[in-house]
Amino acid sequence: MNLSPLQKARYQYSPKLPGMLRNGIAEISVKEGSETQSVADQEKIKELFPNTYGKKEITFTKGANTSVAKKHVVGVILSGGQAPGGHNVVSGLYDAIKATNKENELIGFKGGPSGLLEDDYIVFTDEYINEYRNTGGFDIIGSGRTKLETEEQFAVAVETCKKHGITAIVIIGGDDSNTNAGVLAEYMAAHNTGVQVIGCPKTIDGDLKNEDIEISFGFDTATKTYSELIGNIERDCNSAKKYWHFIKVMGRSASHVALECALETQPNICLISEEVAAKKMSLSEIANYIADSVETRAAKGMTFGVCVIPEGVVEFVPEFGSLIAEINELLAGEKANAFNELPTWADKYAFIEKGLTKEAMEVFAILPQSIQQQLFLERDPHGNVQVSLIESEKLFSALVGDVLKARGYKGRYAALHHFFGYEGRCAFPSNFDADYCYSLGYNAFMLIQYGYNGYLSKVSNLAKPAEEWVAGGMPITKMMNIERRHGHDKPVIKKALVELEGKPFKYFEAHREQWAVETCYTFPGAIQYYGPSEVCDITTRTLALEKGE
Amino acid sequence: MNLSPLQKARYQYSPKLPGMLRNGIAEISVKEGSETQSVADQEKIKELFPNTYGKKEITFTKGANTSVAKKHVVGVILSGGQAPGGHNVVSGLYDAIKATNKENELIGFKGGPSGLLEDDYIVFTDEYINEYRNTGGFDIIGSGRTKLETEEQFAVAVETCKKHGITAIVIIGGDDSNTNAGVLAEYMAAHNTGVQVIGCPKTIDGDLKNEDIEISFGFDTATKTYSELIGNIERDCNSAKKYWHFIKVMGRSASHVALECALETQPNICLISEEVAAKKMSLSEIANYIADSVETRAAKGMTFGVCVIPEGVVEFVPEFGSLIAEINELLAGEKANAFNELPTWADKYAFIEKGLTKEAMEVFAILPQSIQQQLFLERDPHGNVQVSLIESEKLFSALVGDVLKARGYKGRYAALHHFFGYEGRCAFPSNFDADYCYSLGYNAFMLIQYGYNGYLSKVSNLAKPAEEWVAGGMPITKMMNIERRHGHDKPVIKKALVELEGKPFKYFEAHREQWAVETCYTFPGAIQYYGPSEVCDITTRTLALEKGE
């Protein structure tokens, strides 16, 4: 194995625990707070979670450990998309388990939740885990997108647990995975399996967040990686003065990533999907908004700029959503055959023109041909438009070009395009994420040791130095509400969107007009793991603003 | 102005000079070596450069400074594409100038060579330069692509120099810009202007390299930035096990960037344009080569991979080059009109089929339709195919898909695409580039002070710690040969391509078969400016291999 110098150096890093977890397992006592309620739909949630609803909030403090000594065998699962720090959750969990009792075991189920169902696992050892400390990726055991949600699956999971003598399962995942962790916890309690379930909040998207979960892990590192690149491109465009860069960043449901990157780099334009939806903005309005910046800047001699776009923005444009729905309807099932047999694009276009409503056709007509074709030619196995494949960065740059042409703009306007997503999901975790994740894992075992079930590992006060962080746990049901999913009412963790009244957006809103017409770029540079604390240890601007720092 | 924490911290960094330049200006003496010859075409080059040909190599050593004291006014120009470290060349130059005599001045011409012709300039001050120390970008004075090559331009340049009392011009640029610096130096000498010209070797492409210039500045930082991202993607794909990532990296004429990234990250596949050309590989051969890796890996359960592609590779595929030439001929001048009037792509395709030779049509026929259309629809103002716009990462992933289909491969093969270029050209310079560039600038003034003209600032022994670096100068004519450019014989600096017999390529060649079928990824992580020396201060694998380290 060929290790990079940084990887070798990062093996030596000792993640910082919250101050109150630093005195050894024997000195961690528990403090129960008040009973909790779900964020909404309390009656329904309570009915669905009779064994795990309404439990108390937990905080750990320095003091004599009063948990019941018993041997623990813990299973751990990585679920869903990669996020920097996953390996540290596992190593923190492992260290707490082994520090408590060398006979304890940690079992990793491979390839995500399916590993638990298929009993595909490894038993962690010091040697194995040491190769993954403070590194990025989920390759320690792999991840997967299988959803643990049916009773049949739960029954299989219980069998696997029995076979290994598992006393607890830690599920590291996003909102869906933690919802399922909550449901599994209820099942385990209802069936007296003696297996506890603990969740850990992961997602680079940042949309697993509420009054208890200040930040999901991975968001810090991923946004710092994207901000590094956006800053580099800003510096390039301010040096070359030739291009408008349209940069799409990951984040399909929420725009936290785009917003954080904007706060870090101060681009000329950043679209926020939640605002687009709230203001019911049309494609043309958005294009005009960007074109205003292009024109104003050009008039000052600045024929360059940077526009950040959240991955999912087109889905938030109401008229575009309607268009997609109509296209899906137009080509549903058999109807696609007639369309597919038309020989030329011109024939197909005529078919489309005939099939869409006037309103939808107006939207369709302004799209660049490449996007038009993408909508009709690249459909998923069910015949639906694949919205995630739409190159919205190219869509908006083309629309802006059209607007400028229509306005009679004669200046330079040349666009380049980027998409940043996979570049940041497996970066070496920042010191913040390395510390936070290690603490989440360590803390997860404290919840297990004290017998809690259906809790999320919670570490808070994160805008402060790690010494002041607060470790504890929160009942998963507290974050739940009822939402309509696939035609059924389901208890789910409420996804956190960007709040237009929240401080991060308000800060952005107060500055963006200046950023649009001046050049206020900030260059964060690469994530630093060593060096001055103000360079290495600070987490996101979003959290700082939320905490009023 | 909003500065990032890293930018503030980098202001405090003191770049390391070569040991022999560390004792102050008064303690730098000069040692002349033997007279030089151009690398080829000696008689012709000598004839073209009667005043600057055959000069001696220069090395500086510790000792009494014997230069003639006089006031210097130096002009500096950034030429061509951005490369990390340009600001440090300027600040090193500035510091040497001011350390010698506070009355000395450094004038920066804005927007590249055109600034000298248009007398668009600033006079550097401490306050101004301090805002740019150890930062990326060329925004300190901007850059441009105007070529300084005609006698008329030179005459204008002399006027500008006279106006400011300029005694020397430092041109920071790539092979073309340094060629022009050599020609300008000869002009200055021939016309007794008293203006010296010194070049500094810049380019992220790494193709300005020879026995004297070990590395061009910016190559280290840019390749480290791309390698960070490639490593992150490798870790992601080894975690998710779902995708083949096709990653294009900058480097149109030479594949040094791709090769260095491959040495840093050990991807499954890396194409090297020089090898493609030498082996006269066809598109189909390349696609089959990649498909072999896809199939072998899939058979072992690894339905993922990373393939690195140098930006210019398609231009090195002989049959593709012939196709482009035929297309340019087919649509030259008036002939494009008939083509443009054809209503549908099917009509156009028939036109193409009729117009191309059988050989060219065979190549054209295997291209994905999007690339076919790109070749015919997006042409430059002269009607030529815009090779630089060809999305070769998508071309190869599609061709590989076709090959797999033809072979009856039934496994998973899903591709994602990336292009890394602008992300790395303006990164904060690595410690290596910060030190190297500062030394190049500082050293450039030593050459000026000692009266040299037509020299390149040369700092060598770069695989060793800065203390052991050797500072000196080399006559630009030494790097020149005669090449055919636009129908004329011209004296130019020979571009350095990847040598297939060189140690970096040999190392790659010896390992790539293993990398293709196993998973040997290395994760370099983000550039570190602080921390352990082995993490922060080491330059490229290419240089280490070339120097046998």
Side-chain angles (χ1 to χ4, degrees):
Chain A
M1 190 151 67
N2 243 312
L3 301 177
S4 73
L6 182 65
Q7 180 150 345
K8 285 183 209 161
R10 290 306 282 167
Y11 285 158
Q12 308 307 319
Y13 180 74
S14 295
K16 298 186 274 292
L17 283 170
M20 44 77 40
L21 295 182
R22 291 185 190 175
N23 307 293
I25 306 285
E27 285 295 314
I28 300 175
S29 78
V30 72
K31 211 175 90 187
E32 293 200 332
S34 48
E35 289 177 356
T36 57
Q37 295 277 337
S38 62
V39 286
D41 310 306
Q42 288 83 3
E43 285 312 307
K44 281 190 190 163
I45 305 282
K46 187 174 181 179
E47 202 182 304
L48 289 164
F49 295 88
N51 296 284
T52 52
Y53 186 84
K55 299 287 179 192
K56 291 172 179 165
E57 287 188 55
I58 298 302
T59 317
F60 294 110
T61 54
K62 200 188 157 190
N65 189 324
T66 59
S67 68
V68 180
K70 77 171 198 183
K71 185 190 164 183
H72 277 285
V73 179
V74 178
V76 64
I77 296 168
L78 289 163
S79 180
Q82 280 71 245
H87 290 168
N88 273 32
V89 180
V90 177
S91 57
L93 181 61
Y94 178 84
D95 287 352
I97 286 171
K98 291 291 183 184
T100 302
N101 182 348
K102 281 191 181 157
E103 302 296 304
N104 285 346
E105 277 188 355
L106 180 63
I107 293 175
F109 290 101
K110 290 161 79 174
S114 64
L116 180 63
L117 303 178
E118 294 158 10
D119 196 22
D120 186 11
Y121 70 98
I122 58 156
V123 178
F124 285 107
T125 59
D126 285 356
E127 292 67 34
Y128 190 90
I129 214 132
N130 287 344
E131 284 187 12
Y132 293 92
R133 289 180 189 274
N134 309 305
T135 61
F138 277 9
D139 42 313
I140 188 168
I141 44 175
S143 183
R145 294 191 182 270
T146 302
K147 292 189 187 305
L148 277 185
E149 50 189 355
T150 69
E151 297 257 326
E152 293 72 26
Q153 289 174 323
F154 294 165
V156 175
V158 170
E159 284 311 304
T160 307
C161 289
K162 273 190 189 155
K163 186 195 142 195
H164 295 288
I166 284 176
T167 52
I169 294 174
V170 175
I171 296 177
I172 302 167
D175 54 338
D176 273 354
S177 304
N178 277 295
T179 290
N180 294 337
V183 179
L184 179 63
E186 177 64 29
Y187 180 94
M188 291 297 188
H191 293 75
N192 290 312
T193 59
V195 178
Q196 301 160 243
V197 181
I198 302 294
C200 285
K202 171 228 74 171
T203 168
I204 64 157
D205 292 344
D207 54 8
L208 174 48
K209 180 164 75 167
N210 50 47
E211 54 172 13
D212 289 293
I213 302 300
E214 296 179 357
I215 191 171
S216 55
F217 81 74
F219 179 72
D220 181 74
T221 307
T223 54
K224 280 187 164 69
T225 303
Y226 306 145
S227 295
E228 170 200 355
L229 303 179
I230 295 169
N232 287 356
I233 288 171
E234 286 179 341
R235 193 126 210 179
D236 199 299
C237 94
N238 189 30
S239 298
K241 304 187 192 297
K242 281 162 66 176
Y243 296 108
W244 267 81
H245 292 263
F246 285 77
I247 305 175
K248 186 168 70 177
V249 293
M250 269 196 176
R252 217 178 132 188
S253 312
S255 301
H256 297 289
V257 171
L259 178 57
E260 171 64 20
C261 290
L263 295 171
E264 291 279 358
T265 63
Q266 306 189 165
N268 305 103
I269 301 283
C270 176
L271 303 179
I272 300 295
S273 300
E274 290 85 346
E275 183 183 28
V276 166
K279 295 187 175 168
K280 297 189 174 40
M281 291 177 82
S282 66
L283 292 178
S284 160
E285 280 175 278
I286 298 172
N288 270 287
Y289 167 63
I290 302 170
D292 287 347
S293 171
V294 174
E295 273 205 297
T296 310
R297 294 176 63 75
K300 298 191 201 177
M302 298 183 287
T303 50
F304 62 89
V306 169
C307 173
V308 174
I309 296 170
E311 190 183 6
V313 68
V314 288
E315 301 180 66
F316 288 77
V317 176
E319 61 177 17
F320 196 84
S322 307
L323 170 65
I324 300 296
E326 283 198 31
I327 293 174
N328 288 342
E329 183 57 34
L330 185 62
L331 299 181
E334 302 294 304
K335 287 184 260 177
N337 298 343
F339 175 81
N340 292 337
E341 279 165 15
L342 296 170
T344 71
W345 176 246
D347 298 327
K348 288 183 157 90
Y349 196 93
F351 177 97
I352 294 163
E353 202 157 18
K354 212 173 125 215
L356 296 180
T357 63
K358 185 167 159 290
E359 293 72 29
M361 194 57 211
E362 276 171 16
V363 177
F364 187 74
I366 65 165
L367 303 177
Q369 197 188 54
S370 62
I371 304 281
Q372 290 179 334
Q373 295 186 336
Q374 205 170 38
L375 293 178
F376 274 89
L377 304 179
E378 296 174 16
R379 300 195 304 281
D380 74 12
H382 309 288
N384 292 322
V385 173
Q386 298 195 68
V387 183
S388 66
L389 292 186
I390 296 172
E391 296 181 293
S392 45
E393 67 281 24
K394 291 186 182 167
L395 168 61
F396 285 110
S397 80
L399 292 178
V400 169
D402 292 344
V403 166
L404 291 169
K405 208 170 162 187
R407 290 185 186 180
Y409 169 80
K410 300 285 179 217
R412 179 184 170 88
Y413 170 68
L416 292 172
H417 308 93
H418 313 263
F419 171 42
F420 298 136
Y422 298 93
E423 292 77 0
R425 308 195 314 172
C426 289
F428 284 90
S430 62
N431 288 351
F432 173 82
D433 268 328
D435 298 346
Y436 179 43
C437 290
Y438 188 84
S439 301
L440 284 172
Y442 199 96
N443 184 60
F445 185 66
M446 290 303 105
L447 291 168
I448 292 167
Q449 193 176 48
Y450 275 105
Y452 294 101
N453 179 35
Y455 274 69
L456 203 76
S457 178
K458 171 182 163 179
V459 177
S460 54
N461 205 29
L462 299 169
K464 302 284 185 190
E467 170 69 36
E468 299 170 45
W469 289 358
V470 177
M474 177 186 60
I476 294 174
T477 51
K478 178 165 186 267
M479 300 189 289
M480 285 188 174
N481 66 358
I482 299 286
E483 291 180 20
R484 198 83 185 156
R485 296 270 173 101
H486 304 296
H488 299 281
D489 278 346
K490 283 208 151 189
V492 297
I493 295 175
K494 201 169 171 335
K495 212 180 254 299
L497 302 182
V498 169
E499 288 180 20
L500 301 184
E501 294 304 317
K503 286 177 185 169
F505 182 80
K506 282 290 176 198
Y507 181 92
F508 167 68
E509 195 178 32
H511 291 81
R512 66 179 163 185
E513 282 175 36
Q514 187 194 357
W515 299 353
V517 298
E518 297 177 14
T519 298
C520 304
Y521 304 148
T522 307
F523 317 116
I527 295 180
Q528 296 301 301
Y529 303 95
Y530 307 94
S533 177
E534 67 275 16
V535 176
C536 307
D537 295 327
I538 291 173
T539 182
T540 63
R541 293 275 295 142
T542 299
L543 189 63
L545 288 164
E546 282 170 347
K547 294 288 169 189
E549 310 266 318
Chain B
M1 188 151 69
N2 243 313
L3 300 177
S4 73
L6 182 64
Q7 181 151 346
K8 285 183 208 161
R10 290 307 282 167
Y11 285 159
Q12 308 306 319
Y13 179 74
S14 295
K16 298 186 273 294
L17 282 171
M20 43 75 41
L21 296 182
R22 290 183 190 175
N23 307 293
I25 306 283
E27 284 295 312
I28 299 174
S29 78
V30 71
K31 210 175 91 185
E32 293 201 332
S34 47
E35 289 178 356
T36 58
Q37 295 278 337
S38 63
V39 287
D41 310 307
Q42 288 83 4
E43 285 311 308
K44 281 189 190 164
I45 305 283
K46 188 172 179 181
E47 202 180 306
L48 290 164
F49 295 88
N51 296 284
T52 52
Y53 186 84
K55 298 288 179 192
K56 290 173 179 166
E57 287 189 55
I58 297 302
T59 317
F60 293 111
T61 54
K62 199 189 158 192
N65 189 325
T66 58
S67 69
V68 180
K70 76 172 197 183
K71 185 188 165 184
H72 277 286
V73 178
V74 177
V76 63
I77 297 168
L78 290 163
S79 179
Q82 280 72 247
H87 290 169
N88 274 32
V89 180
V90 178
S91 56
L93 181 62
Y94 178 84
D95 288 352
I97 286 172
K98 290 293 183 182
T100 302
N101 182 349
K102 282 189 182 157
E103 302 295 307
N104 285 346
E105 279 188 354
L106 180 63
I107 292 176
F109 290 101
K110 289 161 81 174
S114 64
L116 180 63
L117 302 179
E118 295 157 10
D119 196 22
D120 186 10
Y121 71 97
I122 58 157
V123 178
F124 286 108
T125 60
D126 285 357
E127 293 65 35
Y128 190 89
I129 214 134
N130 287 345
E131 284 187 13
Y132 293 91
R133 290 182 188 273
N134 309 304
T135 62
F138 277 8
D139 42 314
I140 188 168
I141 43 174
S143 182
R145 293 190 183 272
T146 302
K147 291 190 189 304
L148 278 186
E149 49 189 356
T150 67
E151 297 256 325
E152 292 73 27
Q153 289 174 320
F154 294 164
V156 175
V158 169
E159 284 312 303
T160 307
C161 290
K162 273 189 192 158
K163 186 195 142 195
H164 295 286
I166 284 175
T167 52
I169 295 173
V170 174
I171 295 177
I172 302 168
D175 53 339
D176 273 354
S177 303
N178 277 294
T179 290
N180 293 338
V183 179
L184 179 62
E186 176 64 28
Y187 180 94
M188 292 296 188
H191 293 75
N192 290 312
T193 59
V195 179
Q196 300 160 244
V197 181
I198 301 293
C200 286
K202 171 227 73 171
T203 168
I204 65 156
D205 293 345
D207 54 7
L208 175 48
K209 181 164 75 167
N210 50 46
E211 55 171 12
D212 289 292
I213 302 301
E214 295 179 358
I215 190 171
S216 56
F217 82 75
F219 180 72
D220 181 75
T221 306
T223 55
K224 280 186 165 70
T225 302
Y226 306 145
S227 296
E228 170 199 357
L229 303 178
I230 295 169
N232 287 357
I233 288 172
E234 286 179 341
R235 194 126 209 179
D236 199 298
C237 95
N238 189 32
S239 298
K241 302 187 192 297
K242 281 162 65 176
Y243 295 109
W244 267 81
H245 292 264
F246 286 77
I247 304 174
K248 186 169 71 176
V249 292
M250 269 194 176
R252 217 178 131 188
S253 312
S255 299
H256 297 289
V257 171
L259 179 57
E260 171 64 20
C261 290
L263 295 170
E264 290 280 357
T265 64
Q266 306 189 167
N268 304 105
I269 301 284
C270 177
L271 303 179
I272 301 295
S273 300
E274 290 83 346
E275 183 183 26
V276 166
K279 295 186 175 169
K280 297 187 173 43
M281 292 177 81
S282 67
L283 291 178
S284 160
E285 280 176 279
I286 297 171
N288 270 289
Y289 167 63
I290 302 171
D292 288 346
S293 171
V294 174
E295 273 207 296
T296 309
R297 294 177 63 76
K300 297 190 200 177
M302 297 183 288
T303 50
F304 62 89
V306 168
C307 173
V308 174
I309 295 170
E311 191 183 8
V313 67
V314 288
E315 300 181 66
F316 287 78
V317 176
E319 61 178 16
F320 197 84
S322 307
L323 170 64
I324 300 296
E326 282 198 30
I327 294 174
N328 288 341
E329 183 57 32
L330 186 62
L331 300 181
E334 301 294 304
K335 288 184 258 178
N337 298 343
F339 176 82
N340 292 338
E341 280 164 15
L342 296 170
T344 72
W345 175 246
D347 297 329
K348 288 186 158 88
Y349 196 93
F351 177 97
I352 294 164
E353 202 158 17
K354 212 173 125 219
L356 295 180
T357 62
K358 186 166 158 288
E359 293 71 31
M361 194 57 211
E362 277 172 14
V363 178
F364 186 73
I366 65 164
L367 302 178
Q369 198 187 54
S370 61
I371 303 281
Q372 290 180 335
Q373 296 187 334
Q374 207 171 36
L375 292 179
F376 274 89
L377 303 180
E378 296 173 16
R379 300 196 304 280
D380 73 12
H382 310 288
N384 291 324
V385 173
Q386 298 195 67
V387 182
S388 67
L389 292 186
I390 295 171
E391 296 182 293
S392 46
E393 67 279 25
K394 292 187 181 165
L395 168 61
F396 285 110
S397 80
L399 291 178
V400 169
D402 292 343
V403 167
L404 291 169
K405 207 170 163 188
R407 288 184 186 179
Y409 170 80
K410 300 282 179 219
R412 179 184 170 87
Y413 170 68
L416 291 172
H417 307 93
H418 313 263
F419 171 42
F420 298 136
Y422 299 93
E423 292 77 359
R425 307 195 315 172
C426 288
F428 284 89
S430 63
N431 288 351
F432 172 81
D433 269 328
D435 298 346
Y436 179 42
C437 290
Y438 188 85
S439 300
L440 284 172
Y442 198 95
N443 184 61
F445 185 66
M446 290 304 106
L447 290 167
I448 293 167
Q449 193 176 47
Y450 275 105
Y452 294 101
N453 178 36
Y455 274 69
L456 204 76
S457 178
K458 170 182 165 179
V459 177
S460 54
N461 205 30
L462 298 168
K464 302 284 186 190
E467 170 68 36
E468 298 170 45
W469 290 357
V470 177
M474 179 185 59
I476 294 174
T477 51
K478 178 164 184 266
M479 301 190 288
M480 286 188 172
N481 66 358
I482 298 288
E483 291 180 20
R484 198 82 185 160
R485 297 269 173 101
H486 304 295
H488 298 281
D489 278 346
K490 281 204 153 193
V492 296
I493 295 175
K494 202 170 171 325
K495 212 181 251 302
L497 302 180
V498 169
E499 288 180 20
L500 301 182
E501 295 304 318
K503 287 175 184 169
F505 182 80
K506 283 291 175 196
Y507 181 93
F508 168 68
E509 195 179 32
H511 291 80
R512 66 178 163 186
E513 283 175 35
Q514 187 193 358
W515 298 353
V517 298
E518 298 176 16
T519 298
C520 305
Y521 303 148
T522 306
F523 316 117
I527 294 179
Q528 296 301 300
Y529 303 95
Y530 306 94
S533 176
E534 67 274 17
V535 175
C536 306
D537 295 329
I538 290 172
T539 182
T540 63
R541 293 276 294 142
T542 300
L543 189 63
L545 288 164
E546 283 170 346
K547 293 289 169 188
E549 310 267 316

